Structure formats: C-alpha cells, structure tokens
Amino acid sequence: MTSKPSADFLLVGASELVTCAGNAPAVGAEQSRVAVIENGAIAARDGMIVWVGKEKNIDAEVDVAAEATRLDVGFRAVLPGLVDTHTHMVWAGDRGDEFDRRLEGATYSEILAAGGGILRTVDATRQATFEALLSAAGARLERMSRWGTTSVEVKSGYGLEPASEYKMLETVLELGKRHPQELVPTFLGAHTLPREARGSQRARERYVDLVCEEMIPTVAKRHLARFVDVFIDEHAFGLAEARRVLESGRRAGLGLKIHADQLSSDGGAELAGELGAVSADHLEHLSPEGMSALAQSGTVAVMLPGATLFLRSHAYANGRALIEAGVPVAVATDVNPGSCPSESMPLMMQLACLYCGLSVDEAIVAGTANAAAASGLEDRCGSLEPGKRCDLLVLDAPERRQLIYKLGSPQIHMVVARGLVLS
Ligand SMILES: [Zn+2]
C-alpha cells in the first residue's frame, strides 16, 4: 500500500484547474496543452505541490493536516502563477515626462540628445542606494503579483559599470529573499554603451573588454546571476560584440539570452540558435534563417508585444509562424521605463492573441510553462504538478478565457506564491 502525501495547504472549488502539466517548453501542437482538470483541487506542503486531482478524490488520496490552510475558491478557474521571463524591473528615477514629448512626435534620438532616454535611467540608478533600489523594485514586484505574476526574470543593465551592475543584481537576490515570488537574475552589462564609452571606437572596445573580462567573471564567481544577456541593435552592440559577450558568459558557466531582431533583422536569432541560448527575445524582425535556427536549437522565442504597442512601431513578433515552425513561444512584459512601463502579464498575453496570432490556450502556455522554460525554471514552476512550487492565480470567473478576454482588466480573485496567499 502506497502512503498518501501529507499536506498543509489545500485548495478546493476550482471549476477549471488549468495545470499546463507536461514537458516544458511545449512545442508545436503542444503549445496549447493546458491540461485542464474540471472540479479540481491542489494539495501542497511547505510551499510545494504534493498532489493535484479531482476534488472528490482528496480524502482517498491525500492526508490533510488538521491545521492545514484550506481555501475554497468557490467555483473559479485556477491557473499556474504567471512567469514574467523578460523584465528590467530594477531601476531608479522616473521618465513619465518623456511620454508627452514622444506623443508630440519627438524621436528616440531627440529625447536622448535632450538628456533623456536610457542614459537618464543609468544616471539615476548609479546614484540610487541599494535600499532605494530595493524599495522601488519591491513595489513593482507587488503590483506585478496582483496581475498574477509569481516568478520574474530580472536583468541588470542600468549600471553599466561594475559596482552599479553588481548593486542591481544584489537587489534582485535580496528581493528573492524577502518575497515568496521566485526571482531569476540576468547580467545585462551589454544593454547599451555608457556615456563614457560613446566618444570613440577605443572607448567602446574598452567597455566590451570590461564586460567580458571583469564583470562576467565576477558575476559568475559571486553567483550574482544565472544568465548573461546582450542587446543587439544599431544603438547598442553588434553581432561580433554580442558573440564575444555570450561566449564569455558561457565560459563562466552562465546560461545565454539575447535581445534579438527588435528593430531590424540583425542575425541575433541565428546566433542564439548557434550558441544554444535558452531564449531569444523580441524577434519583431525575425528572418526565415533565424526562425529555422531557433527551431533546430529548441531556443524559446520570447515575444514582447507590450514594447511594440508602446513604441507604436506596429511590428509584432509572428507567434503563429513561430509555433508552426516548431519554435516554443513565451511572452513577457519587458517592463522598463522607456519602451514598456506595463507590469501586467495578462495584458501581454492578450496582445499575443490579438497581434501575434496565438489562441487563448497557446497564450496561457506562453505565459506559464514556456516562460518557465525560458527562465531555466521548468523544474520549479510554470505548471501545477507535484514537485513544483505552489504558485497559482485564481480568476474571478469560472473559465480561463476570461483572463485573456477582459482586455486590460481581467479580474484576479487571489494569487498564491509558494503556498502563501499574497494580499
Ligand atoms: Zn528587454
């Protein structure tokens, strides 16, 4: 006789328990594999799921402690907590005033020339204390959680010099200690060139040297990040520089991510495929060669439709073509002060359906199981299965479609991270 798992947390009353169970990332036809259990229940212990099944089987299959937390969600849909696999959520300062200027027609270059843009965020982030960064990012994390996000990948990249880059990554690590949400730090020293490296080719080369020879080895040695990322773009880094950054990261034992093909076909997806990156992100201008490179390597394509919307570029990543080519697709906010201030994962999943060609169920997998895989978290979250963290969201509706249908304002009844109800 097998012994029943014991539980200190029990959730019942799920009209639809959307588990997204199975291998991640899900590819092709599997992209819509939401694996629903009707009238479902979940049992957990110490924040980890120990049992998932039909509510009527609880007594026979689970040993629920007398003092266990018991939640009856009252015939509502329950989904895995959302995984935001591409964010820049640690920064200081505010750039809300640039929004008016952009609406009046100012270009990116004009805003930069007037002292705005990313370098303004770099100045504010360099000057901010660790505590100030922690408080700003903590407030963002709480708001993101209200939209159902329970795991977040967070990039550095507003320091652009060693001490400030490490300060950003330490902020992410400290946030992870203080909150039940799962945080994954990524080193993005190659986000853009700092002001002091913009004067000459030699200064530029020195900055790439600093990233590859000093910052990456230090970040790896001090376990400050799990991934290294690089921004390939005419305003940022070229393909050869990106290759150097990623190869340095790989030598140091970090996983690889790339900002690729956002404003033009820049060869980023091909490089992601060649180097076996865990994800290639943006892909608004993905080439056919890039698409097949991603399909061959199994790299997850992370779409960031909020940036396309906010920049009014009208170029959305073609999620439909990616899925049909056999590339696993995820979606994320890209939350940052310049190109996408939205903290809402449901909004991004809605845009993925409206503009990138995904179905409701494909978008749900893109924001959960496949996003977990793009963050290196597929063994820990992204689905409701025994052995995973008890991270979930309860919709204030009996069926999952409402998460995507209610544009801009899905009603979320409750969010749970590591078995704790977030208020
Ligand atoms: Zn980004």
Side-chain angles (χ1 to χ4, degrees), residues 403-420:
L403 180 68
I404 309 297
Y405 167 67
K406 289 282 182 81
L407 182 66
S409 57
Q411 278 107 35
I412 292 174
H413 178 68
M414 180 188 288
V415 179
V416 172
R418 216 168 57 203
L420 299 170

Side-chain angles (χ1 to χ4, degrees), residues 86 88 155 188 191 231 259 282 304 334 336:
H86 183 134
H88 305 259
K155 303 173 196 298
L188 181 59
H191 192 186
F231 204 132
H259 283 69
H282 275 296
L304 306 167
D334 195 18
N336 74 81

Side-chain angles (χ1 to χ4, degrees), residues 14 22 42 60 71 96 100 104 107 129 136 167 183 202 209 236 246 350 378 380 404:
I42 296 179
L71 296 177
D100 290 330
E104 287 159 8
T107 64
T129 64
K167 178 176 68 178
L183 296 177
R202 182 67 202 113
D209 288 347
L246 295 172
Q350 291 159 357
E378 64 274 22
R380 295 178 59 71
I404 309 297

Side-chain angles (χ1 to χ4, degrees), residues 174-253:
E174 185 61 27
L175 267 184
K177 286 185 199 147
R178 294 192 188 184
H179 297 268
Q181 295 89 334
E182 177 95 12
L183 296 177
V184 178
T186 293
F187 173 64
L188 181 59
H191 192 186
T192 188
L193 287 162
R195 194 176 278 112
E196 59 272 18
R198 293 187 179 213
S200 68
Q201 183 60 27
R202 182 67 202 113
R204 179 185 184 102
E205 287 163 11
R206 270 205 306 271
Y207 184 69
V208 178
D209 288 347
L210 181 67
V211 167
C212 296
E213 290 165 22
E214 181 179 329
M215 292 200 248
I216 287 175
T218 305
V219 163
K221 194 164 131 229
R222 290 174 53 190
H223 303 290
L224 295 177
R226 184 160 172 188
F227 296 100
V228 63
D229 193 347
V230 58
F231 204 132
I232 302 177
D233 180 56
E234 64 171 311
H235 296 292
F237 297 90
L239 205 53
E241 291 167 328
R243 176 186 292 276
R244 218 186 127 202
V245 168
L246 295 172
E247 286 179 344
S248 301
R250 186 162 65 179
R251 270 197 303 279

Side-chain angles (χ1 to χ4, degrees), residues 303-377:
M303 306 191 301
L304 306 167
T308 302
L309 182 75
F310 197 72
L311 294 173
R312 299 191 289 179
S313 81
H314 306 290
Y316 287 89
N318 190 339
R320 183 83 261 125
L322 284 160
I323 290 170
E324 280 163 15
V327 179
V329 169
V331 64
T333 61
D334 195 18
V335 62
N336 74 81
S339 60
C340 188
S342 174
E343 295 157 343
S344 167
M345 271 294 284
L347 178 60
M348 304 307 143
M349 294 158 76
Q350 291 159 357
L351 293 173
C353 291
L354 292 169
Y355 291 115
C356 306
L358 270 61
S359 68
V360 165
D361 285 348
E362 287 169 342
I364 289 172
V365 171
T368 57
N370 280 11
S375 318
L377 294 175

Side-chain angles (χ1 to χ4, degrees), residues 47-75:
M48 304 298 282
I49 297 170
V50 294
W51 176 90
V52 174
K54 290 266 193 197
E55 186 174 330
K56 64 179 164 65
N57 297 334
I58 292 169
D59 290 345
E61 298 182 7
V62 191
D63 182 10
V64 183
E67 69 282 9
T69 302
R70 290 166 189 265
L71 296 177
D72 184 341
V73 299
F75 205 68

